[in-house]
Amino acid sequence: MLTSITDTIELANGVAMPRLGLGTYKSAEGGDVERSVATALEYGYRSIDTASLYGNEAGISAAIAGGGVPRSEIFLTSKVWNDEQGFDETLRAFERSLKRLGTEYLDLYLVHWPREQTHDTWRAFERLYAEGAVRAIGVCNHLEHHLEALLAVADVPPMVDQYEFHPWLQQPSLRAYCEAHGIVVEAWAPLMKGRVTEVPELVSIGAAYGKTPAQVAVRWLLQLDAVAIPKSVHAGRVAENADVFDFALSAEEMATIAALDRGYRFGPEPDRGGER
């Protein structure tokens, strides 16, 4: 059932992860990210996604500290960047993220991009998980062959794969692979970097429900059992992105959106190992 922003999906280890979260990529440290996170908490968001690359972990910490929501009720995600990968390097990167975030643990820690060192990075992730420093571990931007290589050596399989997922980039085989292996799919760029407004089908479907194209895109992902983390620093849009629990897309409308797939990426190819 999808009835509330408090709805969760169960990860392979039993941890409950919110179905909807706030993305913070390019939300600048200081006022932007602090206002965004504070607004999100006010509107009921309990999942906040960041990364060491984003440079805003300290701002997120400040917003959480002043937001009046207990840390135990917040699902906090961060990621290890490419130049932090490797066993020892990852452990040090994790400690830096914890310090900036002002927390003693993370709910989810992710490998930001597949790299040659990812297997060593994953050993560090497994150690952090075994020690209870993270409640769940996963990856970002991993395609099937990346996941296969990781599963071949992992003692603890990844619980989440966060990758670019929106109406123009659906990767159904990757989603099916994740489902078959008990890996929850989390969508970044669910609003197509703002270009959902350019898709007539989303506009038309939204008009039938009194909803925006962005709300239709988020609802579509949720009905596919994906986790969505739309990003905005504007209070109105943060609220809008969460207002998706009072309507449901029909099977025909879901099929219409499925037909929009054109394999179009706004971000890098995963085999290129990310940005920078």
Side-chain angles (χ1 to χ4, degrees):
M1 294 291 292
L2 291 168
T3 59
S4 166
I5 196 170
T6 62
D7 289 347
T8 60
I9 190 167
E10 186 174 299
L11 302 183
N13 66 345
V15 166
M17 180 178 184
R19 299 291 309 276
L20 184 68
L22 178 73
T24 64
Y25 178 52
K26 291 191 175 179
S27 296
E29 182 75 288
D32 276 357
V33 77
E34 289 183 36
R35 283 190 294 270
S36 178
V37 172
T39 300
L41 294 176
E42 179 182 347
Y43 281 103
Y45 289 76
R46 290 298 179 264
S47 175
I48 309 296
D49 179 273
T50 185
S52 63
L53 173 71
Y54 301 172
N56 59 18
E57 289 173 315
I60 289 171
S61 174
I64 290 174
V69 177
R71 169 67 183 91
S72 60
E73 295 181 14
I74 296 173
F75 193 95
L76 189 56
T77 300
S78 194
K79 312 175 189 78
V80 62
W81 184 241
N82 294 342
D83 62 8
E84 298 172 322
Q85 288 210 43
F87 185 81
D88 293 330
E89 293 86 346
T90 293
L91 296 178
R92 288 191 289 266
F94 178 78
E95 290 301 323
R96 290 193 296 269
S97 282
L98 280 192
K99 184 175 181 179
R100 290 189 293 260
L101 287 163
T103 186
E104 296 180 352
Y105 70 97
L106 287 180
D107 296 278
L108 178 63
Y109 200 35
L110 301 172
V111 180
H112 211 146
W113 290 90
R115 304 284 280 186
E116 290 182 5
Q117 311 98 312
T118 295
H119 291 177
D120 290 333
T121 300
W122 195 253
R123 288 195 300 114
F125 270 48
E126 290 177 330
R127 173 171 163 175
L128 293 168
Y129 178 67
E131 293 174 347
V134 292
R135 298 177 65 224
I137 52 178
V139 296
C140 300
N141 306 304
H142 277 49
L143 304 177
E144 291 102 314
H145 62 281
H146 301 127
L147 292 170
E148 286 176 356
L150 183 56
L151 288 169
V153 299
D155 292 322
V156 180
M159 300 158 194
V160 173
D161 188 4
Q162 181 188 119
Y163 57 82
E164 185 177 352
F165 187 7
H166 47 71
W168 283 356
L169 182 69
Q170 300 184 28
Q171 303 181 93
S173 64
L174 176 56
R175 186 163 66 89
Y177 183 94
C178 288
E179 182 179 356
H181 290 83
I183 301 170
V184 167
V185 169
E186 185 173 21
W188 66 260
L191 307 184
M192 298 166 47
K193 304 288 189 180
R195 292 183 64 182
V196 284
T197 58
E198 301 175 18
V199 184
E201 293 86 350
L202 298 181
V203 174
S204 176
I205 292 171
Y209 296 99
K211 296 294 183 180
T212 65
Q215 290 169 320
V216 171
V218 171
R219 180 71 196 193
W220 169 71
L221 286 164
L222 296 180
Q223 287 186 212
L224 291 176
D225 282 337
V227 172
I229 48 169
K231 172 256 177 180
S232 182
V233 296
H234 303 288
R237 289 179 184 157
V238 171
E240 173 189 314
N241 295 338
D243 186 18
V244 296
F245 296 97
D246 58 352
F247 75 108
L249 300 173
S250 68
E252 182 180 359
E253 289 163 340
M254 294 291 287
T256 295
I257 300 173
L260 298 175
D261 191 7
R262 56 174 75 172
Y264 186 94
R265 291 187 183 278
F266 291 96
E269 290 281 350
D271 280 322
R272 282 168 34 200
E275 306 161 359
R276 296 205 314 200

